[in-house]
Amino acid sequence: MKLQPNFSKQIVRNIDLICDFMGNSSDFVVREITIGRNHAALFYLDGMVDMQKVQDNVIRPLHEFAYSDSDEMSLPFLKNSILDVGEASLVQSFEDALDQILSGGVLLLLDGIDEGLVISLPGWEERSITESKAQPVIRGPQESFTETLRTNTTMVRRRVKDTRVRLTNVKVGEKTKTDISVMYMDGVADQDMVLNLISRLKSMSVDRVLEGEYLEESLTEKKQFTIFPIFYNSDRPDSIAAGVMEGKIAIFVDGTPFVILAPAVFVDFIQSAEDYYQSYIYSSIIRILRYISLGICMLAPAIYVALTTFHQDMIPTVLLLSLSAQREGVPFPAFVEAIIMEVIFEILREAGLRMPRTVGQAVSIVGSIVIGQAAVEANIVSPVMVIVVAITAISSFVIPSYTMAIPIRILRFVFIGLAAIYGVYGLTVGMLILFVHLNSLHSFGVPYMSPLANYNSSKQSDAVLRFPFRNKTKQHKKQKE
């Protein structure tokens, strides 16, 4: 819907047009007041303005003026003589007024006057602990979401200053009645998907919602059983803002700093916000490195077990003699070695996460070195197995998303078992089954492996490699045409 360029003298018409253009966003506030015999209205975004200043410097002076004996009523007079504000400007067009509202301004309209007064009163909250703990970056915004719902929506609003951004509030949970906000961009996000998501949230029958995972499990289709994450979650405002601009739906849950993004596809979990803050050449190389690390994390121990158990003829003679010498005196087969070391490392990893941060990393590092060295000297495991497990563990930390690293760690044990029973043939069949499973998954109707499996050449500029921003701009212009 397009607005007329300038304000009308009828305030009711102005209110209707602005509300239609801003949509039914729950954080867009329209406050109608009476100043003497004049009808007035204030427009602002909740969370983007300092509400205390709005009350003390705008609303209270206007009410006090209404009871005065002055008959003069004009926006310049209110700006210069009544309102206790520092920065205020007159605007004639809807576009200028809405742009300033999205930047933390308050719009004042009076009936019978075809212009508005925009008062700058920005007052959004900022996180005291600024750095993201789940997805830290070297270059880029060093802030993350908080546990407060309105603060989180405001952080995205500050980055996406577009009137098409919509916000819908829903309460979920019979006991907790948790506030949920659904954010999307009108005209960019799939409207049927938005309506379906909001409908499912409203009809959700759960007694409590304390974190986003409660919603993720309830929104996942029952027939779609998988260990892979169907929803993307992040505590970085820039990542969520980018997803909203791409047409995805953000789900904010009160009480948690993690925001859910839907739909999510496999490549989303391999990409990082930092990819867009560095050279596209470097970012592309890093993305390739992540896919290589994912393969190492999932298959390295299994390949070692398969080669040493069934396919010794595939190993070079010199290397085979070295491996045989290292394994001399080890009482367990390679399969048992791998399981022992992988289980020990997973225990150390979890211990490091649960222990105080000041000692957690030290315990993990020292524990790994001491246990690995002691196991080798005691002839429980071979030195090469320690090396393989160490490379596998380090590779798992290259994957940006922790939720994607979890299923990869689980599959590692599955592939070790297949390698111990069937060798390379078991690994091949296991990989085929995995690919078929991934291609059968959907996230709100979107194929999980798109745009890789459902190949579309026009959508490959940001799938595996990161192309220059100018390519994306050209593609966006072609889509609009």
Side-chain angles (χ1 to χ4, degrees):
M1 177 182 179
K2 292 185 178 180
L3 292 176
Q4 60 188 53
N6 296 323
F7 289 110
S8 167
K9 289 188 176 182
Q10 299 177 0
I11 191 172
V12 176
R13 177 171 175 76
N14 291 335
I15 293 174
D16 290 341
L17 287 172
I18 292 177
C19 290
D20 287 344
F21 201 67
M22 289 296 293
N24 297 318
S25 295
S26 58
D27 61 341
F28 182 63
V29 179
V30 180
R31 183 166 180 176
E32 298 185 49
I33 59 176
T34 302
I35 308 175
R37 293 185 233 172
N38 294 81
H39 185 196
L42 294 171
F43 306 83
Y44 57 88
L45 285 170
D46 185 18
M48 292 287 288
V49 299
D50 189 326
M51 287 306 303
Q52 190 63 43
K53 290 183 179 179
V54 172
Q55 183 65 35
D56 295 341
N57 301 352
V58 178
I59 297 177
R60 184 176 297 167
L62 288 176
H63 281 306
E64 291 175 353
F65 172 72
Y67 293 101
S68 65
D69 297 331
S70 176
D71 294 331
E72 185 173 359
M73 178 62 70
S74 67
L75 291 177
F77 174 74
L78 293 178
K79 169 189 172 185
N80 298 323
S81 304
I82 304 301
L83 300 179
D84 184 16
V85 294
E87 185 179 349
S89 59
L90 295 173
V91 292
Q92 283 77 36
S93 69
F94 285 96
E95 183 178 358
D96 293 339
L98 292 173
D99 285 344
Q100 296 196 50
I101 289 175
L102 293 170
S103 298
V106 179
L107 173 64
L108 172 63
L109 296 181
L110 293 177
D111 194 21
I113 299 178
D114 58 355
E115 61 181 357
L117 178 66
V118 175
I119 308 154
S120 181
L121 294 173
W124 48 76
E125 296 182 28
E126 295 183 357
R127 186 180 178 94
S128 56
I129 303 174
T130 55
E131 185 178 357
S132 169
K133 296 179 181 179
Q135 299 171 322
V137 297
I138 298 174
R139 179 179 177 180
Q142 300 293 315
E143 65 177 352
S144 59
F145 289 121
T146 71
E147 286 74 22
T148 306
L149 180 65
R150 186 56 71 211
T151 301
N152 294 343
T153 58
T154 302
M155 286 176 134
V156 179
R157 278 280 195 185
R158 285 170 51 198
R159 288 168 170 78
V160 190
K161 297 176 182 178
D162 195 304
T163 55
R164 293 176 294 174
V165 175
R166 301 287 185 263
L167 207 63
T168 302
N169 281 357
V170 181
K171 285 188 180 293
V172 182
E174 297 176 4
K175 295 179 180 177
T176 58
K177 291 183 172 53
T178 306
D179 290 317
I180 311 293
S181 288
V182 178
M183 179 182 286
Y184 61 96
M185 185 171 283
D186 190 28
V188 181
D190 187 294
Q191 193 64 27
D192 293 334
M193 188 186 301
V194 173
L195 295 176
N196 179 34
L197 175 60
I198 295 175
S199 174
R200 291 175 66 177
L201 286 173
K202 289 181 177 179
S203 61
M204 192 174 293
S205 179
V206 293
D207 63 342
R208 73 197 74 180
V209 175
L210 302 176
E211 214 276 335
E213 178 62 23
Y214 287 78
L215 298 181
E216 292 183 27
E217 291 188 11
S218 300
L219 291 172
T220 303
E221 297 180 11
K222 294 182 179 179
K223 63 180 181 180
Q224 193 165 250
F225 178 77
T226 181
I227 60 174
F228 287 90
I230 300 299
F231 298 90
Y232 181 82
N233 62 75
S234 174
D235 65 341
R236 295 185 55 83
D238 53 337
S239 295
I240 301 302
V244 170
M245 287 187 286
E246 291 173 359
K248 297 185 179 182
I249 307 169
I251 306 173
F252 298 80
V253 181
D254 191 23
T256 175
F258 287 89
V259 177
I260 303 169
L261 209 58
V265 295
F266 182 81
V267 295
D268 291 337
F269 300 93
I270 310 301
Q271 298 174 359
S272 170
E274 197 173 6
D275 295 345
Y276 304 94
Y277 306 143
Q278 303 180 90
S279 165
Y280 69 92
I281 298 175
Y282 176 74
S283 298
S284 298
I285 295 173
I286 293 299
R287 284 189 179 180
I288 295 173
L289 185 63
R290 290 190 192 126
Y291 281 99
I292 295 173
S293 299
L294 187 147
I296 293 174
C297 176
M298 186 167 56
L299 296 174
I303 292 174
Y304 173 78
V305 171
L307 293 179
T308 55
T309 306
F310 294 99
H311 310 284
Q312 294 90 346
D313 54 330
M314 298 178 65
I315 305 175
T317 305
V318 177
L319 179 58
L320 181 60
L321 293 174
S322 175
L323 293 178
S324 300
Q326 292 180 35
R327 287 190 48 79
E328 187 177 354
V330 177
F332 304 112
F335 167 71
V336 177
E337 277 188 274
I339 293 297
I340 290 174
M341 292 305 298
E342 289 292 347
V343 170
I344 289 175
F345 177 77
E346 292 298 331
I347 292 173
L348 289 171
R349 184 206 295 262
E350 288 302 311
L353 290 174
R354 310 304 166 200
M355 295 181 70
R357 292 187 178 275
T358 53
V359 298
Q361 293 183 352
V363 169
S364 298
I365 296 172
V366 174
S368 300
I369 295 174
V370 172
I371 292 175
Q373 184 66 27
V376 171
E377 293 180 355
N379 285 334
I380 297 176
V381 295
S382 60
V384 69
M385 178 57 73
V386 176
I387 295 173
V388 171
V389 171
I391 294 175
T392 303
I394 294 172
S395 299
S396 67
F397 292 110
V398 179
I399 302 173
S401 174
Y402 182 75
T403 55
M404 177 56 72
I406 293 175
I408 299 301
R409 287 157 55 188
I410 296 173
L411 287 174
R412 185 162 67 231
F413 288 94
V414 175
F415 281 114
I416 290 174
L418 290 174
I421 300 172
Y422 302 108
V424 172
Y425 304 106
L427 292 181
T428 304
V429 173
M431 289 298 296
L432 289 174
I433 294 174
L434 176 60
F435 288 142
V436 170
H437 173 69
L438 289 174
N439 280 283
S440 69
L441 298 178
H442 290 79
S443 179
F444 273 87
V446 177
Y448 195 62
M449 292 303 291
S450 63
L452 300 177
N454 188 15
Y455 187 80
N456 187 339
S457 59
S458 63
K459 296 182 180 180
Q460 299 302 313
S461 61
D462 195 32
V464 178
L465 304 179
R466 186 180 86 73
F467 283 42
F469 289 121
R470 58 179 176 269
N471 290 29
K472 212 168 186 179
T473 304
K474 292 178 182 178
Q475 179 183 336
H476 180 65
K477 288 181 180 179
K478 287 182 180 179
Q479 289 178 350
K480 290 182 71 176
E481 292 173 0

